[in-house]
Amino acid sequence: VHLRSPEVAKQLWCAAGRTLSPDVAPAFNRLLMRAGADVSNASDASKLVTKRDRPFVGDADARTCDPRATQATISYSYPSGHAALGVIWGEIAAEVVPGRARELRALGAEFGDNRIICGVHYPSDIAAGRQMAAAMLRQMRANPAFRADVEAAKAEAAKAAPLDCAQAARSPDRSE
């Protein structure tokens, strides 16, 4: 899962039941991008301390489902930045679209679960990433500026067009 891919954005919008593109919901997208930078900085710094290799390192026969995961270019494994970011994005989105909190949190959890399934993290990497996210969320929520940004994002989401991805998936493509 390349978290900055358009596919991940679409999954997030589907879970939210709203089109939350940057042009429609700039405050929401700024929240996600700032959180992404914060998670990246925290997880990268932690990885340099622990220096835990990925599960596939040193195993010539190991396979992953992440095409970017190679022995030569991959970062350390612990804690999982994907798991941390999934939790934080899921929680932020749940605050912005509370009626879809279950779906949004589930999607966030999938980001970490996927990393185990794909063979690029150990379960303890995911658990540590999720714990890191919980600590970061406590700090973020204590910040009045963050709370104001969430309120602005809620207002954007309330005005955003509804999105029914299940309906779109059932409908045949009529563009051909």
mmCIF file of all heavy atoms in Angstrom, residues 73-94:
data_model
loop_
_atom_site.group_PDB
_atom_site.id
_atom_site.type_symbol
_atom_site.label_atom_id
_atom_site.label_comp_id
_atom_site.label_asym_id
_atom_site.label_seq_id
_atom_site.Cartn_x
_atom_site.Cartn_y
_atom_site.Cartn_z
ATOM 1 N N THR A 73 16.928 -1.381 -0.727
ATOM 2 C CA THR A 73 16.348 -0.042 -0.593
ATOM 3 C C THR A 73 15.364 0.123 0.547
ATOM 4 O O THR A 73 14.896 1.231 0.784
ATOM 5 C CB THR A 73 15.605 0.342 -1.891
ATOM 6 O OG1 THR A 73 14.541 -0.585 -2.104
ATOM 7 C CG2 THR A 73 16.540 0.332 -3.080
ATOM 8 N N ILE A 74 15.047 -0.912 1.247
ATOM 9 C CA ILE A 74 13.978 -0.834 2.241
ATOM 10 C C ILE A 74 14.499 -0.262 3.567
ATOM 11 O O ILE A 74 15.653 -0.449 3.922
ATOM 12 C CB ILE A 74 13.323 -2.229 2.436
ATOM 13 C CG1 ILE A 74 11.948 -2.108 3.025
ATOM 14 C CG2 ILE A 74 14.198 -3.134 3.273
ATOM 15 C CD1 ILE A 74 10.932 -1.592 2.065
ATOM 16 N N SER A 75 13.638 0.419 4.268
ATOM 17 C CA SER A 75 13.996 0.955 5.580
ATOM 18 C C SER A 75 13.830 -0.141 6.637
ATOM 19 O O SER A 75 13.386 -1.243 6.346
ATOM 20 C CB SER A 75 13.098 2.147 5.913
ATOM 21 O OG SER A 75 11.766 1.719 6.099
ATOM 22 N N TYR A 76 14.159 0.214 7.847
ATOM 23 C CA TYR A 76 13.975 -0.740 8.945
ATOM 24 C C TYR A 76 12.490 -0.975 9.209
ATOM 25 O O TYR A 76 11.631 -0.251 8.716
ATOM 26 C CB TYR A 76 14.685 -0.234 10.201
ATOM 27 C CG TYR A 76 16.195 -0.252 10.076
ATOM 28 C CD1 TYR A 76 16.916 0.934 10.028
ATOM 29 C CD2 TYR A 76 16.888 -1.451 10.010
ATOM 30 C CE1 TYR A 76 18.302 0.930 9.920
ATOM 31 C CE2 TYR A 76 18.271 -1.476 9.891
ATOM 32 C CZ TYR A 76 18.968 -0.284 9.850
ATOM 33 O OH TYR A 76 20.334 -0.294 9.737
ATOM 34 N N SER A 77 12.223 -1.957 10.048
ATOM 35 C CA SER A 77 10.873 -2.476 10.209
ATOM 36 C C SER A 77 10.106 -1.936 11.418
ATOM 37 O O SER A 77 8.892 -1.812 11.360
ATOM 38 C CB SER A 77 10.981 -4.002 10.313
ATOM 39 O OG SER A 77 9.730 -4.620 10.282
ATOM 40 N N TYR A 78 10.795 -1.642 12.509
ATOM 41 C CA TYR A 78 10.125 -1.356 13.789
ATOM 42 C C TYR A 78 10.310 0.096 14.185
ATOM 43 O O TYR A 78 11.447 0.549 14.244
ATOM 44 C CB TYR A 78 10.743 -2.251 14.863
ATOM 45 C CG TYR A 78 10.099 -2.155 16.220
ATOM 46 C CD1 TYR A 78 9.090 -3.030 16.581
ATOM 47 C CD2 TYR A 78 10.519 -1.209 17.142
ATOM 48 C CE1 TYR A 78 8.512 -2.958 17.840
ATOM 49 C CE2 TYR A 78 9.943 -1.126 18.389
ATOM 50 C CZ TYR A 78 8.940 -2.003 18.738
ATOM 51 O OH TYR A 78 8.361 -1.930 19.974
ATOM 52 N N PRO A 79 9.242 0.786 14.441
ATOM 53 C CA PRO A 79 7.809 0.469 14.362
ATOM 54 C C PRO A 79 7.275 0.716 12.952
ATOM 55 O O PRO A 79 7.906 1.403 12.154
ATOM 56 C CB PRO A 79 7.181 1.455 15.349
ATOM 57 C CG PRO A 79 8.081 2.659 15.254
ATOM 58 C CD PRO A 79 9.466 2.120 15.015
ATOM 59 N N SER A 80 6.106 0.194 12.675
ATOM 60 C CA SER A 80 5.513 0.353 11.354
ATOM 61 C C SER A 80 4.895 1.741 11.196
ATOM 62 O O SER A 80 3.934 2.094 11.876
ATOM 63 C CB SER A 80 4.429 -0.694 11.121
ATOM 64 O OG SER A 80 3.694 -0.374 9.959
ATOM 65 N N GLY A 81 5.455 2.507 10.273
ATOM 66 C CA GLY A 81 4.883 3.812 9.959
ATOM 67 C C GLY A 81 3.534 3.676 9.275
ATOM 68 O O GLY A 81 2.630 4.493 9.496
ATOM 69 N N HIS A 82 3.373 2.629 8.443
ATOM 70 C CA HIS A 82 2.081 2.397 7.789
ATOM 71 C C HIS A 82 0.987 2.160 8.828
ATOM 72 O O HIS A 82 -0.116 2.697 8.713
ATOM 73 C CB HIS A 82 2.152 1.177 6.859
ATOM 74 C CG HIS A 82 2.705 1.457 5.517
ATOM 75 N ND1 HIS A 82 4.051 1.591 5.284
ATOM 76 C CD2 HIS A 82 2.096 1.601 4.317
ATOM 77 C CE1 HIS A 82 4.259 1.807 3.995
ATOM 78 N NE2 HIS A 82 3.074 1.830 3.387
ATOM 79 N N ALA A 83 1.290 1.339 9.831
ATOM 80 C CA ALA A 83 0.290 1.052 10.869
ATOM 81 C C ALA A 83 -0.049 2.321 11.644
ATOM 82 O O ALA A 83 -1.225 2.592 11.916
ATOM 83 C CB ALA A 83 0.801 -0.025 11.815
ATOM 84 N N ALA A 84 0.973 3.096 11.988
ATOM 85 C CA ALA A 84 0.732 4.347 12.722
ATOM 86 C C ALA A 84 -0.105 5.306 11.891
ATOM 87 O O ALA A 84 -1.082 5.880 12.382
ATOM 88 C CB ALA A 84 2.063 4.996 13.105
ATOM 89 N N LEU A 85 0.260 5.458 10.631
ATOM 90 C CA LEU A 85 -0.478 6.391 9.786
ATOM 91 C C LEU A 85 -1.912 5.916 9.559
ATOM 92 O O LEU A 85 -2.845 6.727 9.557
ATOM 93 C CB LEU A 85 0.233 6.589 8.448
ATOM 94 C CG LEU A 85 -0.309 7.728 7.612
ATOM 95 C CD1 LEU A 85 -0.234 9.052 8.360
ATOM 96 C CD2 LEU A 85 0.449 7.822 6.306
ATOM 97 N N GLY A 86 -2.094 4.627 9.393
ATOM 98 C CA GLY A 86 -3.450 4.102 9.229
ATOM 99 C C GLY A 86 -4.335 4.441 10.416
ATOM 100 O O GLY A 86 -5.480 4.882 10.250
ATOM 101 N N VAL A 87 -3.802 4.246 11.618
ATOM 102 C CA VAL A 87 -4.576 4.565 12.824
ATOM 103 C C VAL A 87 -4.882 6.059 12.875
ATOM 104 O O VAL A 87 -6.021 6.468 13.111
ATOM 105 C CB VAL A 87 -3.823 4.117 14.096
ATOM 106 C CG1 VAL A 87 -4.456 4.713 15.352
ATOM 107 C CG2 VAL A 87 -3.798 2.604 14.182
ATOM 108 N N ILE A 88 -3.868 6.885 12.648
ATOM 109 C CA ILE A 88 -4.076 8.330 12.743
ATOM 110 C C ILE A 88 -5.042 8.815 11.673
ATOM 111 O O ILE A 88 -5.974 9.577 11.967
ATOM 112 C CB ILE A 88 -2.727 9.073 12.701
ATOM 113 C CG1 ILE A 88 -2.031 8.881 14.054
ATOM 114 C CG2 ILE A 88 -2.919 10.546 12.379
ATOM 115 C CD1 ILE A 88 -0.692 9.547 14.191
ATOM 116 N N TRP A 89 -4.861 8.385 10.431
ATOM 117 C CA TRP A 89 -5.799 8.800 9.385
ATOM 118 C C TRP A 89 -7.203 8.302 9.678
ATOM 119 O O TRP A 89 -8.179 9.021 9.492
ATOM 120 C CB TRP A 89 -5.325 8.313 8.019
ATOM 121 C CG TRP A 89 -4.272 9.174 7.400
ATOM 122 C CD1 TRP A 89 -3.701 10.300 7.913
ATOM 123 C CD2 TRP A 89 -3.663 8.968 6.129
ATOM 124 N NE1 TRP A 89 -2.769 10.804 7.032
ATOM 125 C CE2 TRP A 89 -2.729 10.011 5.934
ATOM 126 C CE3 TRP A 89 -3.811 8.002 5.142
ATOM 127 C CZ2 TRP A 89 -1.949 10.111 4.785
ATOM 128 C CZ3 TRP A 89 -3.030 8.098 3.997
ATOM 129 C CH2 TRP A 89 -2.116 9.147 3.824
ATOM 130 N N GLY A 90 -7.318 7.054 10.124
ATOM 131 C CA GLY A 90 -8.641 6.514 10.449
ATOM 132 C C GLY A 90 -9.314 7.300 11.556
ATOM 133 O O GLY A 90 -10.512 7.600 11.491
ATOM 134 N N GLU A 91 -8.553 7.666 12.583
ATOM 135 C CA GLU A 91 -9.108 8.417 13.706
ATOM 136 C C GLU A 91 -9.471 9.843 13.307
ATOM 137 O O GLU A 91 -10.523 10.352 13.697
ATOM 138 C CB GLU A 91 -8.141 8.420 14.893
ATOM 139 C CG GLU A 91 -8.056 7.088 15.603
ATOM 140 C CD GLU A 91 -9.349 6.687 16.280
ATOM 141 O OE1 GLU A 91 -10.079 7.568 16.793
ATOM 142 O OE2 GLU A 91 -9.646 5.480 16.291
ATOM 143 N N ILE A 92 -8.592 10.498 12.553
ATOM 144 C CA ILE A 92 -8.906 11.856 12.098
ATOM 145 C C ILE A 92 -10.167 11.831 11.244
ATOM 146 O O ILE A 92 -11.086 12.636 11.443
ATOM 147 C CB ILE A 92 -7.728 12.477 11.327
ATOM 148 C CG1 ILE A 92 -6.586 12.815 12.280
ATOM 149 C CG2 ILE A 92 -8.168 13.726 10.557
ATOM 150 C CD1 ILE A 92 -5.292 13.240 11.580
ATOM 151 N N ALA A 93 -10.216 10.914 10.303
ATOM 152 C CA ALA A 93 -11.387 10.826 9.425
ATOM 153 C C ALA A 93 -12.639 10.491 10.221
ATOM 154 O O ALA A 93 -13.726 11.007 9.926
ATOM 155 C CB ALA A 93 -11.140 9.805 8.324
ATOM 156 N N ALA A 94 -12.507 9.658 11.249
ATOM 157 C CA ALA A 94 -13.662 9.323 12.095
ATOM 158 C C ALA A 94 -14.172 10.539 12.854
ATOM 159 O O ALA A 94 -15.380 10.676 13.083
ATOM 160 C CB ALA A 94 -13.300 8.196 13.062
#
